[in-house]
């Protein structure tokens, strides 16, 4: 790499190979509206300014000079005060990115410019409702090709690089393609003549590099899977019939199978029209676990007692069994303040394909969410799961759920837990950044943290092999980064 390329990668407004910049006009207005919703206040409150900053100060440690790439994280960031808001299912997407090269860092954040956001910008207010309260959108506000509603696509849940395509993803809607400098290009068509719907979590096959993606239906008892080749072109789509219209936030991919956990969190349009929540918990339906081949042939369905899953760490096949590490919720719930309900916990589920039996065991007795593994080993055997929890060193009282301050490294084979407690700092999901291939934990964890007293945010790198050690690097960010959802690491090259 030449010195010119190094400078270009870190200098806003220059040209960098593979990370082209554009002359994007910055948004500078602060968000002035306030809310007493705990998921719209504190560090959950959105930010307005879109900023660029170079040569970020490193306040502890040092950025590894051989680490080149970008850490990006998406999250709900409503520009206008919502008519209805249910965390984490409503909002506008905003991606916060830290670009690393030659021991230096720069920052850039941008809204995902969806057609829904375009409608609200012209109106100067929120016009779409939310998951808990659907609102009819005035057709006069919507131009041809824009989202007519009633459901808003905010593209705020996750961000994914596949082939040469950087995608911002919603729950089960059209993905938006971005440049590496976060400028929005439009709805992604995956090599077809029309946008395709993708879910928030999609998984890559370890041999072919193909992406398997799902999109469920709010009105029909079906989920559709897409097989997208390594270059980003749709190969085929196939449906899987369900017992009811079901919310399926994530799924499992192994080398030979797709595993679908369809819990009893179902959509009820009749209830929504009567003013009740669109999503209903119906435990009498139980949990149905579908195992299907990658070609979409008829699934094998197994039944279990009701529970709910937002996120899987990984799934793989070993000795005739499918092994799944995931966070188990006793029931479906959204946007609740921490209270007496049974907290979600890390579990390991095993499916014996010959006997068609399921076994499940809790791995650790701690409240956790947002599990991640070494993504380079997705769909292959892994033992380490990285995920956050909350300890009493955070001084915030009555913190909302999804507030964390301690990162865990869990050995799922032994149950051993190693911790990095950030104290009175709020931490989010950790994303694994590979360093080499010597071991599963040969890499770093990339995390955004927030100091509620100083009101400052940092980008933190931990050594994934020794997360209890002092951070490898702590980088001060130029503005507060709100509590978000899912991120990714994109190596330069």
């Amino acid at each position: 790499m030449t010195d010119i390329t190094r400078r270009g990668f870190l200098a806003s407004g220059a040209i960098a190979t593979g990370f082209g910049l554009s002359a994007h006009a910055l948004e500078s207005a602060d968000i002035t509206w306030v809310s007493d919703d705990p998921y719209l206040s504190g560090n959950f409150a959105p930010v307005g300014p879109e900023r660029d900053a170079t040569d970020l100060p490193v306040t502890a440690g040092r950025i590894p000079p051989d680490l080149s790439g970008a850490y990006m994280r998406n999250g709900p960031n409503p520009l206008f005060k919502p008519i209805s808001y249910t965390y984490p299912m409503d909002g506008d997407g905003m991606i916060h990115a830290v670009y690393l090269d030659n021991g230096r860092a720069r920052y850039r954040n941008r809204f995902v410019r969806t057609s829904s956001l375009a409608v609200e910008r012209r109106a100067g207010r929120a016009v779409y409702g939310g998951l808990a309260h659907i609102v009819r959108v005035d057709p006069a506000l919507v131009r041809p090709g824009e989202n007519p509603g009633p459901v808003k696509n905010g593209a705020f849940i996750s961000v994914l690089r596949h082939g040469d395509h950087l995608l911002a993803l919603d729950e089960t809607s059209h993905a938006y393609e971005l440049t590496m400098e976060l400028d929005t290009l439009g709805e992604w068509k995956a090599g077809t003549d029309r946008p395709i719907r993708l879910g928030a979590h999609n998984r890559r096959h370890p041999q072919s590099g193909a992406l398997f993606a799902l999109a469920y239906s709010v009105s029909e008892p079906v989920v559709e899977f897409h097989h997208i080749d390594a270059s980003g072109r749709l190969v085929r789509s196939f449906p899987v019939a369900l017992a009811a219209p079901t919310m399926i936030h994530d799924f499992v991919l192994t080398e030979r199978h797709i595993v679908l956990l369809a819990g009893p969190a179902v959509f009820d349009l009749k209830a929504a029209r009567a003013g009740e929540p669109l999503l209903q918990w119906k435990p009498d339906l139980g949990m149905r676990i579908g195992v299907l081949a990658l070609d979409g042939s008829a699934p094998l369905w197994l039944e279990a007692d009701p529970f709910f899953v937002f996120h899987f760490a990984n799934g793989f096949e070993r000795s005739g069994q499918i092994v799944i590490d995931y966070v188990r919720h006793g029931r479906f719930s959204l946007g609740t303040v921490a209270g007496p309900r049974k907290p979600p916990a890390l579990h390991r589920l095993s499916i014996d394909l010959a006997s068609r039996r399921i076994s499940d065991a809790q791995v650790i007795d701690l409240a956790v969410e947002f599990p991640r593994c070494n993504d380079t080993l997705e769909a292959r055997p892994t033992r380490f799961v990285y995920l956050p929890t909350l300890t009493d060193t955070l001084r915030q009282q009555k913190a909302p759920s999804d507030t964390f301050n301690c990162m865990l490294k869990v050995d799922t084979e032994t149950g051993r837990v190693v911790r990095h407690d950030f104290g009175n700092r709020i931490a989010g999901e950790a994303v694994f950044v590979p360093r080499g291939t010597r071991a599963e934990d040969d890499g770093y964890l990339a995390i955004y943290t927030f100091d509620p007293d100083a009101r400052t945010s940092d980008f933190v790198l931990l050594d994934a092999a020794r997360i209890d050690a002092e951070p490898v690097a702590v980088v001060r960010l130029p503005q507060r980064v709100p509590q978000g959802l899912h991120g990714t690491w994109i190596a330069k090259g």
Side-chain angles (χ1 to χ4, degrees), residues 160-163 165 202-213 228-230 251 253-254 375 377-380 488:
L160 167 74
R161 176 74 177 266
H162 183 63
H165 306 280
N202 307 287
R203 298 185 177 272
R204 192 173 287 108
H205 195 272
Q207 275 80 46
S208 68
L211 188 73
F212 286 83
I228 301 166
D229 71 18
F251 70 100
L253 178 72
T254 72
D375 293 333
L377 298 175
E378 185 174 60
R380 290 180 287 184
T488 190

Side-chain angles (χ1 to χ4, degrees), residues 357-412:
R357 291 183 178 178
I358 302 169
S359 61
D360 186 275
Q362 182 171 293
V363 180
I364 57 169
D365 187 18
L366 291 170
V368 294
E369 248 300 348
F370 298 102
R372 296 294 294 256
C373 68
N374 179 341
D375 293 333
T376 66
L377 298 175
E378 185 174 60
R380 290 180 287 184
T382 54
R383 67 185 299 167
F384 299 122
V385 176
Y386 307 94
L387 67 181
T389 190
L390 179 64
T391 72
D392 58 9
T393 60
L394 184 72
R395 295 193 296 268
Q396 181 177 350
Q397 299 296 315
K398 296 182 178 178
S401 61
D402 293 336
T403 299
F404 310 103
N405 73 325
C406 179
M407 192 58 57
L408 306 176
K409 176 185 181 181
V410 180
D411 186 331
T412 55

Side-chain angles (χ1 to χ4, degrees), residues 297-313:
S297 54
L300 163 68
W301 287 105
L302 306 171
E303 296 187 356
D305 292 336
F307 63 92
F308 185 76
V309 185
F310 275 114
H311 301 121
F312 300 96

Side-chain angles (χ1 to χ4, degrees), residues 175-226:
Y176 275 79
E177 185 168 6
L178 313 172
T179 69
M180 280 300 296
E181 292 301 317
L182 310 184
D183 296 313
T184 303
L185 299 175
E187 293 178 324
W188 190 51
K189 298 180 180 179
T192 69
D193 60 357
R194 66 183 62 187
I196 65 171
R197 293 190 308 120
L198 298 178
H201 296 278
N202 307 287
R203 298 185 177 272
R204 192 173 287 108
H205 195 272
Q207 275 80 46
S208 68
L211 188 73
F212 286 83
L214 70 75
Y216 58 78
S217 172
V218 173
S219 58
E220 301 294 332
V222 65
V223 60
E224 185 175 40
F225 280 95
H226 302 299

Side-chain angles (χ1 to χ4, degrees), residues 8-38:
F9 181 67
L10 285 160
S12 176
I15 295 176
T17 303
F19 289 77
L21 301 178
S22 71
H24 188 290
L26 294 182
E27 296 288 335
S28 59
D30 288 321
I31 289 175
T32 58
W33 56 264
V34 296
S35 171
D36 58 4
D37 186 329

